[in-house]
Amino acid sequence: MSRLIVVSNRVSAPKDPAAGSAGGLAMALSAALRKYDGLWFGWSGETVETFKAEAKFEDRAGVTVALVDLEAQDVDEYYNGYANKTLWPLFHHRVDLTAYERSFGEGYERTNARFAEVLAPLIEPDDLIWIHDYHMIPLARDLRRLGVTNRIGFFLHTPWPARQLLVTLPYHRRLVESLFDFDLIGFHTREWMDLFTDYVVSEAKGDVTGENGLECFGRQVQVGVFPIGIDVDGFLEARNSTLGARTYDRMAASAVFRSMIVGVDRLDYSKGLEQRLVGYEEFLHKNPSMRGDVFLLQVTPISRDDVDTYQDIRGRLDALAGRINGEFADMDWQPIRYLNRTYRRDQLAGIYRAARVGLVTPLRDGMNLVAKEYVAAQNPEDPGVLILSRFAGAAEQMGEALLVNPFSREELSDAIKNALTMPLAERIRKWEALMKVVRDTDVSIWRDDFVQALMSAPRVKELPVFDAA
Ligand code: ADQ
């Protein structure tokens, strides 16, 4: 293999890896790109009046990145539109929030074709191409149309939706067909892979071939399960750093005589934040004697604020947190500390470590890395308890957590009580099992397994001949 080309909507290779803000995924992919002398390609985040089929190159701490500017209409229709208002809600089973606008689909197709036009000339014959996430499903098809015959892999960071919901999408067949121009498609869990297979077999009348192969639309593709994880050693280093330790001390001091429950999530309806607050409220109602002994720290940076659904949920959460605090707070105690801000990785590690309970309760989530970060940050001799939604991909591996149905406020309330009263020996036993999972799914293992599988995926026997039009 000569080089690895990573493609994603936004390029997150850090300019300064020591600054502590880059996530594990960005660090792991950057390390692979340095090793394989690669290139990270994606949207610059900038808009221009008229699209030009050219990339701007930058060096970011030894990683070459190639960035493309888009037109404002592309951003509206492809990014805010089809990616964030159509595919994201649909893949998270929110058909009630899904926008079925034809212009969004057209913008998605147009923008992917534009990415292909800029990327194709940068590809050399032996390059391995790894495309990430739902923003870029048609990109392999568009590259093939331009004559690219390299191995191309796709990894989906979100869940794959149930067939009965996917068919509500106009042109669902076209979307799935374009995935057959990849050589390998990776999912976080067997459940997401099985849902994809179900669509291919039941709706598109394809076949399962061998252990990991699918055949449909006259083509074959390999599928596989590659559960993502965190950069465990990097995270432990962050936890033990001066700032990590100082943040822990600060939080421990502020929680003195009280148990802290922590939630850390982007502000997104898939994360189950409203249901979580309602479950916590139920716990406060049902357990008056425990009230003053606990508080919930919910750290929720604003995301996708250009999309109106996200503004709506933000308003509802503000109101809900305010109502619960208004009802229960005392002169020296507030049940919820609700913060809309981001923290560095070392600060987050210190916060997690000071929390007796980690509350990770998405309604549907591809994997959920916060669950793994919370576990990694714990003190092995006195670990906290992870409460995890059964609908997070992470639940497929992290069965030793307290698994809950986040739609049930009573189940959430019971789980919070169990976690707060769990004996030390049980907490240690559970933590040890969970920490093993976190280590076994380190992000570098995920990356290397995917790259290896892509390198050895059987080649598409014959590339389809496309009409130039
Ligand atoms: P996300 O939906 O963004 O990712 P998640 O996996 O939880 O969800 O990752 C969020 C990351 O953001 C974590 O590393 C977390 O520490 C960080 N973060 C959250 N709040 C923060 C804050 N206030 N300050 C600083 N950092 C914060 C998508 C999918 C997931 C999948 C990942 C990776 O939706 O299901 O696990 O991609 O594939």
Side-chain angles (χ1 to χ4, degrees):
M1 172 179 131
S2 72
R3 302 185 309 169
L4 176 67
I5 299 186
V6 169
V7 184
S8 58
N9 174 58
R10 295 307 300 273
V11 170
S12 53
K15 288 189 175 123
D16 175 10
S21 53
L25 176 65
M27 300 289 261
L29 291 177
S30 298
L33 291 172
R34 275 190 288 270
K35 182 168 153 194
Y36 296 116
D37 181 29
L39 183 73
W40 194 333
F41 177 93
W43 173 38
S44 62
E46 307 285 326
T47 52
V48 282
E49 191 94 6
T50 312
F51 171 76
K52 280 206 207 83
E54 60 189 32
K56 298 179 286 191
F57 293 89
E58 268 177 32
D59 178 276
R60 293 205 192 156
V63 174
T64 307
V65 304
L67 303 170
V68 186
D69 299 335
L70 294 175
E71 290 176 10
Q73 191 184 350
D74 298 334
V75 177
D76 273 353
E77 293 173 353
Y78 146 80
Y79 180 66
N80 289 328
Y82 207 72
N84 286 339
K85 291 187 187 157
T86 303
L87 294 182
W88 177 271
L90 179 63
F91 283 16
H92 289 86
H93 281 186
R94 292 298 302 267
V95 279
D96 56 323
L97 300 179
T98 302
Y100 298 97
E101 296 286 331
R102 200 167 277 176
S103 63
F104 291 172
E106 287 163 3
Y108 183 69
E109 296 272 340
R110 179 183 66 247
T111 307
N112 271 282
R114 288 182 161 179
F115 284 137
E117 196 186 340
V118 186
L119 178 57
L122 307 179
I123 297 170
E124 291 170 13
D126 290 335
D127 289 350
L128 202 64
I129 303 162
W130 186 4
I131 296 174
H132 290 258
D133 234 359
Y134 58 97
H135 311 84
M136 298 190 163
I137 291 175
L139 188 53
R141 180 200 64 199
D142 295 339
L143 289 170
R144 302 285 185 221
R145 282 182 174 162
L146 296 172
V148 173
T149 57
N150 302 53
R151 281 202 162 85
I152 312 181
F154 177 74
F155 187 82
L156 182 66
H157 289 265
T158 66
W160 185 264
R163 168 173 53 87
Q164 291 84 345
L165 299 182
L166 182 56
V167 295
T168 66
L169 185 72
Y171 305 110
H172 52 89
R173 196 180 160 88
R174 181 186 169 101
L175 190 78
V176 175
E177 181 172 2
S178 66
L179 279 166
F180 278 73
D181 283 310
F182 288 95
D183 295 282
L184 172 69
I185 305 171
F187 300 92
H188 282 308
T189 66
R190 175 153 286 279
E191 185 177 347
W192 312 148
M193 186 174 86
D194 287 348
L195 288 172
F196 179 71
T197 305
D198 175 54
Y199 176 96
V200 170
V201 173
S202 307
E203 177 70 27
K205 307 297 173 215
D207 290 307
V208 175
T209 55
E211 214 181 306
N212 287 313
L214 291 174
E215 188 168 340
C216 200
F217 313 107
R219 272 163 283 158
Q220 291 188 352
V221 71
Q222 291 290 113
V223 288
V225 176
F226 303 89
I228 201 171
I230 62 168
D231 164 21
V232 180
D233 289 336
F235 201 77
L236 294 182
E237 222 172 89
R239 186 196 73 182
N240 297 333
S241 67
T242 311
L243 188 55
R246 211 184 313 136
T247 310
Y248 169 78
D249 289 343
R250 201 173 138 193
M251 284 319 304
S254 120
V256 72
F257 303 129
R258 296 201 166 108
S259 297
M260 174 163 96
I261 303 171
V262 75
V264 175
D265 313 75
R266 274 188 310 103
L267 206 166
D268 193 292
Y269 45 83
S270 67
K271 301 294 181 186
L273 294 163
E274 287 173 86
Q275 290 79 354
R276 183 181 309 170
L277 293 193
V278 170
Y280 178 61
E281 181 183 29
E282 176 81 6
F283 165 80
L284 295 174
H285 267 301
K286 274 199 185 150
N287 299 282
S289 65
M290 292 177 86
R291 268 180 213 164
D293 299 338
V294 338
F295 68 95
L296 169 64
L297 177 72
Q298 180 60 51
V299 186
T300 301
I302 311 297
S303 80
R304 302 180 192 170
D305 212 29
D306 295 349
V307 178
D308 41 10
T309 327
Y310 286 76
Q311 292 156 10
D312 293 347
I313 182 195
R314 185 176 169 188
R316 286 202 305 276
L317 273 171
D318 286 348
L320 192 53
R323 179 168 68 68
I324 297 171
N325 276 338
E327 182 178 350
F328 291 99
D330 209 335
M331 61 182 120
D332 61 347
W333 171 71
Q334 187 164 310
I336 303 175
R337 298 184 194 173
Y338 177 56
L339 316 178
N340 291 131
R341 55 166 292 180
T342 56
Y343 286 99
R344 289 167 51 105
R345 200 157 59 137
D346 33 17
Q347 291 176 304
L348 271 187
I351 294 171
Y352 289 135
R353 191 178 173 92
R356 167 60 68 221
V357 179
L359 203 45
V360 181
T361 56
L363 306 181
R364 194 169 163 85
D365 212 337
M367 172 57 70
N368 195 297
L369 294 176
V370 170
K372 296 187 175 183
E373 291 168 358
Y374 176 76
V375 169
Q378 295 309 299
N379 173 1
E381 280 154 26
D382 185 18
V385 179
L386 174 66
I387 297 177
L388 178 62
S389 163
R390 56 169 294 171
F391 305 119
E396 201 167 275
Q397 304 146 30
M398 303 181 86
E400 281 295 332
L402 290 184
L403 295 185
V404 287
N405 170 2
F407 293 94
S408 161
R409 66 173 198 279
E410 282 138 334
E411 248 188 65
L412 281 172
S413 160
D414 291 350
I416 292 171
K417 185 168 183 194
N418 286 346
L420 288 169
T421 53
M422 188 179 286
L424 177 63
E426 193 178 347
R427 282 192 272 131
I428 292 179
R429 186 185 57 73
K430 281 182 173 296
W431 178 79
E432 284 173 350
L434 289 170
M435 191 61 197
K436 181 172 179 335
V437 172
V438 171
R439 282 201 179 283
D440 290 349
T441 59
D442 189 281
V443 69
S444 57
I445 298 176
W446 166 80
R447 173 199 68 200
D448 294 345
D449 283 355
F450 188 92
V451 169
Q452 193 54 47
L454 181 55
M455 281 199 276
S456 48
R459 281 323 320 273
V460 178
K461 285 176 209 65
E462 241 177 89
L463 284 169
V465 180
F466 288 105
D467 194 330

